[in-house]
């Protein structure tokens, strides 16, 4: 027991000595640190003087480049802005990674610069800017960024075209190249307005298509404006819009055509008054024409019509018909419904019998140059966006998304398809 006590006592003394030594080390360390602080103060003072001297020689011009250096998924519309405060820009150079120069414009006061054209997607750009302050001292700034890639961006292909004149039934139809999951954000980035103040509402037919229309047809001779403010809008996870554009188009006269498959007559009206009645031949009893409100979406002086493209085939798989020069064809549906001239049928069928595969045929002449035919007259007196209302065929109403035919939805149903 006594030996054990002595051992413990020695261990305690050892700890005491260790503590004293450690304390000495700490004291010495503190003294050393104090010496470093004194030396550091001297160095800091010297560095401060050097910094102060350098600052007196440094330009006050402060250059800022957006987006910041190293950015990716940058906008193709609003990127590459260069600004300077407390100075003026003297040189700005912008190039692609391969050295191709990008043209730009300097503001009148030389305090800002931006590219003259829209940037390309999936492209790396380098910017180098130089500016001078009031004392002529030069400042430099450099940055590199990469624009959004096609896989990470979406665009909308829209109709009608900027500056065009269209009929009163023409909706604004936008088809996106990527599926949109954040429909509300995208729709909020699109504005469609009429000079007459008509309420305009968007309707999503699917994840890729939204159309805009008013309750009733557009007012004749009005102006419609489409604004796309989609740059940077996230339409789906990690997929951003790139469009920033304003489009205007005119609404022409109010022309609505009524096709009656029972009487086999077509009545063309303008501003509610009948201007011409034309005998027609609609779809046969086996191939009835769709009923409903349809809008002209395309016009072709001559076009090929092959039955195989719309499901009309013989036993050998070839089209039941293949006419390579159909005159005066006006598209009503994506599925192949047209109003068109017919030169191969007997003149006696028009106004008396329905013989087509679903189109509305008018008497015409091969070559599409006979001004005396019904086909020629109707083609030349119609514009894209005009309305054709087909009645009494015995077939179903055309689907609202088959062409530009959203007018077949009630206003309540149309608004129910809005995401805002």
């Amino acid at each position: 027991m006594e030996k054990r006590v002595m051992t413990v006592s020695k261990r305690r003394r050892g700890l005491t000595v260790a503590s004293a030594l450690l304390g000495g080390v700490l004291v010495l360390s503190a003294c050393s640190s104090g010496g470093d602080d004194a030396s550091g103060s001297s160095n800091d003072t010297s560095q401060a003087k050097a910094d102060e001297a350098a600052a007196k020689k440094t330009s006050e011009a402060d250059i800022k480049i957006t987006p910041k250096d190293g950015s990716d998924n940058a906008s193709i519309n609003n990127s590459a802005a260069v600004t300077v405060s407390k100075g003026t820009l003297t040189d700005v150079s912008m190039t692609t990674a391969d050295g191709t120069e990008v043209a730009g414009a300097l503001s009148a006061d030389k305090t800002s610069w931006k590219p003259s054209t829209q940037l390309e997607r999936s492209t790396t750009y380098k910017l180098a800017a130089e500016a001078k302050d009031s004392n002529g001292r030069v400042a430099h700034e450099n940055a590199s960024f990469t624009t959004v890639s096609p896989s990470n961006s979406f665009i909308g292909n829209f109709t009608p075209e900027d500056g065009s004149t269209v009929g009163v039934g023409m909706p604004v139809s936008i088809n996106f190249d990527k599926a949109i999951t954040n429909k509300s954000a995208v729709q909020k980035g699109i504005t469609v307005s009429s000079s007459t103040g008509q309420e305009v509402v968007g309707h999503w037919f699917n994840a890729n298509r939204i159309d805009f229309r008013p309750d009733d047809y557009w007012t004749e001779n009005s102006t419609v404006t489409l604004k796309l403010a989609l740059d940077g809008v996230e339409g789906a996870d990690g997929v951003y819009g790139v469009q920033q554009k304003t489009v205007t188009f005119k609404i022409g006269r109010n022309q609505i055509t009524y096709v009656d498959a029972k009487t086999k007559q077509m009545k063309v009206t303008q501003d509610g008054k009948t201007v011409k009645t034309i005998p027609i031949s609609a779809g046969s009893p086996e191939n009835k024409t769709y009923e409903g409100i349809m809008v002209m979406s395309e016009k072709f002086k001559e076009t090929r019509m092959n039955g195989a493209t719309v499901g009309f085939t013989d036993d050998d798989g070839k089209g039941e018909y293949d006419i390579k020069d159909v005159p005066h064809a006006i598209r009503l549906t994506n599925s192949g419904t047209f109003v068109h001239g017919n030169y191969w049928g007997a003149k006696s069928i028009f106004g008396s019998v329905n013989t087509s595969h679903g189109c509305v045929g008018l008497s015409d002449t091969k070559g599409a140059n006979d001004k005396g035919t019904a086909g020629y007259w109707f083609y030349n007196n119609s514009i894209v966006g005009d309305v054709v209302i087909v009645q009494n065929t015995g077939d179903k109403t055309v689907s609202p998304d088959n062409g530009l035919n959203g007018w077949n939805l009630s206003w309540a149903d149309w608004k129910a398809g809005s995401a805002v």
Side-chain angles (χ1 to χ4, degrees), residues 273-319:
K273 298 179 181 179
T274 301
V275 295
K276 196 172 186 67
T277 299
I278 300 172
I280 59 98
S281 179
S284 67
E286 296 77 24
N287 302 296
K288 299 181 180 70
T289 305
Y290 286 130
E291 292 190 0
I293 304 169
M294 305 182 208
V295 175
M296 298 179 185
S297 58
E298 290 182 293
K299 293 177 62 183
F300 306 95
K301 183 179 178 182
E302 289 181 287
T303 192
R304 178 184 180 183
M305 291 188 177
N306 185 342
T309 64
V310 288
F312 292 112
T313 57
D314 292 324
D315 293 339
D316 59 4
K318 294 183 178 180

Side-chain angles (χ1 to χ4, degrees), residues 158-164 172 191-193 223-228 245-249:
F158 57 85
T159 190
E161 297 179 0
D162 186 32
S164 59
V172 172
T191 304
V192 180
S193 58
T223 300
V224 179
T225 300
L226 162 66
K227 291 185 178 180
L228 297 172
K245 190 176 184 65
T246 298
V247 172
T248 60
F249 58 94

Side-chain angles (χ1 to χ4, degrees), residues 28 59 114 154 161 236 243 255 275 297 370 385 398:
L28 289 173
S59 176
K114 62 181 180 180
F154 69 88
E161 297 179 0
Q243 288 169 296
Q255 179 167 305
V275 295
S297 58
D370 186 348
V398 65

Side-chain angles (χ1 to χ4, degrees), residues 349-366:
I349 67 171
F350 301 103
S352 62
V353 59
N354 292 323
T355 61
S356 83
H357 284 79
C359 292
V360 177
L362 312 178
S363 180
D364 212 328
T365 302
K366 185 178 177 68

Side-chain angles (χ1 to χ4, degrees), residues 29 38 61-62 73 108 130 135 149-151 238 245 250 254 268 275 302 326-327 353 368 392-393 398:
S29 175
D62 185 12
N73 285 331
E130 177 185 283
N135 293 317
S149 68
S151 61
K245 190 176 184 65
K250 299 287 186 181
N254 183 324
V268 184
V275 295
E302 289 181 287
V326 176
V353 59
N392 300 321
T393 69
V398 65

Side-chain angles (χ1 to χ4, degrees), residues 152-196:
N152 290 328
S153 60
F154 69 88
I155 60 171
N157 297 302
F158 57 85
T159 190
E161 297 179 0
D162 186 32
S164 59
T165 298
V166 297
V168 296
M170 187 69 183
V172 172
S173 184
I174 305 173
N175 286 272
F176 298 105
D177 64 348
K178 302 280 196 312
I180 303 300
T181 56
N182 193 355
K183 293 180 179 178
S184 177
V186 171
Q187 188 173 340
K188 288 176 181 177
I190 305 170
T191 304
V192 180
S193 58
S194 170
S195 59
T196 61

